[in-house]
Amino acid sequence: LAVGVLVGMAVMLQYIVIIYPTYFAFPFYNERTLEYLDQAMASSSGTYFFIVIAVLTTVVLFVTGKPILRGAYVSARTRSPNMDLLVAIAAVSAYAYSTLAVIFVESPSIYYDVTVAIIVIVTVGNHYEDSIKKRATELLSDLTAVQVDSARRLVDEGDADGAETEEVAIDDLAPGDRLLVRAGERVPVDGEAVAGDAAVDESVVTGESMPVRKTPGDAVVGGSVVADGSLTVAVGPDATSSLDRVAELVWDLQSGNHGVQKLADRLATVFVPVVLAVALLSAGANLALGNGVTEAMLVGLTVLIVSCPCALGLATPLAVAAGIRDALERSIVIFDDTVFERIRGADTVVFDKTGTLTTGEMRLVATDVDDELLRLAAAVEERSAHPVGRAIAAARASDGALGDPGSASDSGAASPAVADGGEVASEEASGALAVTEFESHARGVSGVVDGVEVVVGHPDLFDERGWTVSDEIRETVAAARDVGRVPVAVGRDGAAEGVVVVGDELREGWEETVTALADEGVEVVVLTGDDERAATVFREHDAIDSVFAGVPPEGKAETVERLKARGRTVMVGDGTNDAPALAAADLGVALGGGTAMAADAADVAIVDDNLDSVATVFELSRAAGRRVKGNIGWAFCYNAVAIPLAVAGLLNPLFAALAMGASSLLVVTNSSRALLE
């Protein structure tokens, strides 16, 4: 493009200063000057002048226009005419005519400016589209990059704290390598736990928030997080890096030529032979009427130039690029340009529950324990990395009261100062509680807080320790589970005294999103791996047509396949467990808070994790459709007017080129406007 603009400017300068004045008798050129220019053109120096312009135009045609010529050559070889072929025919025809005129005509009329204009205009349009895609690629790379790009490989195995390790890139891992993963770290790749005992947050796989206890022999999935403890993981047979996924996405994005652009190429299969036939018939008719060869060739050339579908070729990609641009401004990544076309005809939108309609984060929603016991429970849970424990610890208040669960995380209680090994280092912070003998169990935690033994967890943990659990507490636990909550019993000194209930918080704006889609006549479906109780709130909502609960990852894809038999289906999810369903759907939408695998399988990624953006994608799709239709409509109107004028000999190649440029400029200007005001 840089070569085309710079060299093209040199060509056009000669036209503006020397050639155009002889055509149009510029008012600021006097008769003597015009006469001098005519004589210069007819002299030998004029021939050299034309040769210089020819050389410069050759550079533009074969350097800047190389991708266009290559596309035209391939389309001709495969007998599949496309837009590149039409553009190449117009540019090469003007170039060939002008070159022959320089060689054989004493005082030629040359149209190298037409060649330069066509090549540069189309290249600028393509560059604009590519720049939009590049921005999407950069944002997409940020979205899909894993949070770790290296692993801690064991060199000399010992305990978790004393083992000798080395830091290696994920790409350098081999099957069978042993990796050490400590609390708070992400498992780099798929593998098997061979040592250690830890709670692992596998929401990357299951989409659910509850960690799973992993012991030697258990499979561990790359991307999951060790919540507490540590694990030694043997690398599985397919140790791959996320760079492979990013590279594939970038390739799909940069090389995509889909949807409405295919429509333009299909039109070209008919348009190319029609234009060639019209040009030949026009030239032949002029010869038959007794006109000269030069005049006949000019008419044919004008038809080819004026038929050059720059506007048609730019109409669809620039409108789609504008949609991609507007989406990026709203933190939405469109992976390919078929999205706008496909989503407009959606019949069903399927939402994953956890992490999509909910935040995927636990929070304290209810408690019947007294303030002091809640403070003791929170002090013990400060030591736990379990989501339930974090929710309880975050919800404590400095005065021991629960307060508003929605704002409990802003409480001001001091955290206990804990030294290595679980003992309290000091009590310098006012109100700090001393925690000793902390233990993390498969179904809860326990510890001694200021001399009081405290247990927080499932009633079974109390039973295992021989503590008393009343029937009322067991019934409260069962009732909370019936509505999809996570209840834990809390007790001290040998007896359970109450229940703390933790739940997954509903995402803000979820009702508005599903209602907006339902109002558009789209069927709304909810899928979840949780049991029926966790989906009660969605089943009772008027805008939701169906709820499928207890669905495993492979079952989600099967459910989507069945829904596709009824109509075009869109899947919205966030986790790796949603990836099969996202890929199976006619169109997949991944929330940015999800995993790289989900984004890989999807067609749209909402980077800022805003559920409202799902409805925005539909709005952008409709707006892009209107813009494409408007651009194509103008392009066809231009050709419908310009081609008959060229056939009638009422246009010369220069005016044809100007008309072509004006129509292209109109399309570019129209596409540069925001789709959503």
Side-chain angles (χ1 to χ4, degrees):
L1 178 59
V3 170
V5 171
L6 292 174
V7 178
M9 286 172 61
V11 173
M12 297 309 296
L13 179 63
Q14 308 306 314
Y15 270 88
I16 292 171
V17 174
I18 298 176
I19 299 178
Y20 290 158
T22 63
Y23 290 169
F24 304 112
F26 280 7
F28 47 84
Y29 278 61
N30 57 41
E31 292 184 7
R32 183 176 178 183
T33 301
L34 294 176
E35 183 180 352
Y36 171 78
L37 289 177
D38 285 333
Q39 292 174 355
M41 292 283 193
S43 67
S44 58
S45 61
T47 302
Y48 289 116
F49 171 74
F50 293 137
I51 292 174
V52 169
I53 295 180
V55 171
L56 294 175
T57 305
T58 302
V59 173
V60 174
L61 178 61
F62 292 102
V63 175
T64 304
K66 182 179 179 181
I68 298 172
L69 298 178
R70 184 170 53 221
Y73 172 75
V74 171
S75 72
R77 283 289 301 270
T78 58
R79 298 181 181 178
S80 303
N82 62 6
M83 302 306 292
D84 283 341
L85 183 57
L86 274 169
V87 172
I89 287 173
V92 172
S93 297
Y95 176 82
Y97 174 89
S98 301
T99 302
L100 291 174
V102 169
I103 296 173
F104 297 108
V105 179
E106 183 176 346
S107 182
S109 294
I110 57 173
Y111 298 98
Y112 289 121
D113 54 335
V114 173
T115 299
V116 170
I118 291 173
I119 294 297
V120 172
I121 287 173
V122 173
T123 304
V124 167
N126 292 337
H127 175 70
Y128 174 75
E129 182 184 9
D130 290 343
S131 67
I132 294 294
K133 289 185 175 183
K134 183 179 179 182
R135 286 176 55 196
T137 299
E138 292 169 352
L139 192 55
L140 181 59
S141 297
D142 293 339
L143 171 71
T144 57
V146 292
Q147 296 184 1
V148 293
D149 55 10
S150 63
R152 189 183 295 112
R153 184 166 60 189
L154 286 170
V155 177
D156 179 22
E157 295 190 34
D159 58 38
D161 296 320
E164 182 180 347
T165 63
E166 61 177 353
E167 199 82 8
V168 296
I170 291 179
D171 286 339
D172 295 335
L173 294 177
D177 283 350
R178 299 200 169 195
L179 311 178
L180 178 62
V181 188
R182 295 193 175 101
E185 297 178 345
R186 191 174 292 275
V187 179
V189 293
D190 292 350
E192 179 182 331
V194 294
D197 184 351
V200 178
D201 180 358
E202 290 192 326
S203 58
V204 68
V205 179
T206 65
E208 311 307 329
S209 305
M210 299 299 295
V212 179
R213 180 64 55 178
K214 294 293 183 180
T215 56
D218 292 336
V220 184
V221 176
S224 57
V225 178
V226 175
D228 59 35
S230 63
L231 287 176
T232 299
V233 178
V235 176
D238 298 318
T240 57
S241 167
S242 69
L243 293 176
D244 297 332
R245 295 194 293 269
V246 174
E248 183 179 351
L249 288 172
V250 172
W251 171 254
D252 290 343
L253 185 62
Q254 294 288 6
S255 62
N257 181 29
H258 313 284
V260 288
Q261 182 59 34
K262 286 184 177 178
L263 171 61
D265 287 340
R266 287 197 299 270
L267 292 172
T269 62
V270 177
F271 205 49
V272 169
V274 168
V275 167
L276 290 175
V278 170
L280 289 174
L281 289 173
S282 300
N286 272 269
L287 288 173
L289 292 173
N291 295 322
V293 174
T294 301
E295 186 176 348
M297 290 180 62
L298 269 179
V299 172
L301 174 62
T302 304
V303 171
L304 291 176
I305 293 171
V306 81
S307 303
C308 177
C310 289
L312 185 59
L314 295 174
T316 51
L318 290 188
V320 171
I324 295 173
R325 176 203 63 206
D326 288 3
L328 282 173
E329 291 173 354
R330 292 165 173 80
S331 296
I332 302 169
V333 176
I334 305 297
F335 287 13
D336 69 67
D337 53 15
T338 67
V339 166
F340 294 125
E341 185 178 16
R342 287 184 286 155
I343 202 170
R344 279 197 296 276
D347 300 295
T348 304
V349 177
V350 183
F351 287 93
D352 170 58
K353 181 186 80 70
T354 305
T356 303
L357 293 177
T358 67
T359 62
E361 298 176 357
M362 292 294 184
R363 62 184 287 268
L364 191 60
V365 296
T367 179
D368 62 3
V369 303
D370 61 55
D371 296 343
E372 178 60 25
L373 183 54
L374 180 61
R375 290 189 70 213
L376 296 175
V380 176
E381 292 290 13
E382 282 279 359
R383 301 296 317 283
S384 173
H386 196 287
V388 172
R390 290 198 296 267
I392 294 173
R396 78 195 189 285
S398 58
D399 60 359
L402 174 62
D404 179 7
S407 60
S409 59
D410 297 326
S411 60
S415 300
V418 183
D420 293 340
E423 300 298 328
V424 173
S426 69
E427 297 183 32
E428 295 177 358
S430 175
L433 299 176
V435 180
T436 59
E437 300 180 29
F438 173 81
E439 289 185 72
S440 178
H441 308 276
R443 312 203 73 176
V445 295
S446 64
V448 177
V449 185
D450 283 350
V452 179
E453 188 175 2
V454 179
V455 173
V456 184
H458 193 279
D460 290 351
L461 177 60
F462 288 79
D463 294 337
E464 292 170 5
R465 300 173 68 90
W467 286 35
T468 302
V469 182
S470 67
D471 291 340
E472 182 181 357
I473 288 177
R474 295 184 190 276
E475 290 172 1
T476 301
V477 169
R481 291 189 181 279
D482 285 340
V483 294
R485 302 298 190 185
V486 181
V488 291
V490 182
R492 56 186 161 188
D493 293 335
E497 298 184 16
V499 177
V500 172
V501 181
V502 174
D504 187 6
E505 186 176 4
L506 291 169
R507 189 182 288 272
E508 183 180 353
W510 76 271
E511 288 188 279
E512 291 81 356
T513 298
V514 298
T515 300
L517 293 174
D519 290 344
E520 293 292 332
V522 178
E523 180 183 4
V524 179
V525 175
V526 175
L527 283 182
T528 178
D530 288 341
D531 58 27
E532 293 280 351
R533 297 170 297 185
T536 302
V537 64
F538 304 110
R539 194 178 300 280
E540 295 174 350
H541 198 281
D542 293 338
I544 296 175
D545 298 278
S546 304
V547 176
F548 298 94
V551 183
E554 62 276 11
K556 290 184 179 181
E558 293 172 4
T559 303
V560 169
E561 290 287 358
R562 290 200 302 270
L563 291 171
K564 284 172 63 179
R566 291 161 31 184
R568 184 169 294 179
T569 301
V570 177
M571 173 70 191
V572 184
D574 74 309
T576 299
N577 67 308
D578 301 323
L582 289 167
D586 293 304
L587 187 139
V589 179
L591 292 187
T595 65
M597 190 176 295
D600 194 353
D603 303 283
V604 179
I606 299 172
V607 181
D608 63 0
D609 216 18
N610 185 356
L611 190 62
D612 294 341
S613 295
V614 174
T616 302
V617 175
F618 278 81
E619 293 176 15
L620 284 170
S621 170
R622 291 189 290 269
R626 291 191 297 269
R627 186 67 54 79
V628 168
K629 290 177 181 177
N631 284 347
I632 290 181
W634 165 253
F636 275 116
C637 286
Y638 155 76
N639 282 320
V641 173
I643 291 177
L645 292 176
V647 170
L650 300 178
L651 288 179
N652 68 23
L654 178 59
F655 282 108
L658 291 175
M660 177 207 66
S663 66
S664 300
L665 180 62
L666 182 62
V667 167
V668 171
T669 303
N670 189 43
S671 295
S672 65
R673 296 185 298 112
L675 290 177
L676 300 180
E677 300 298 340

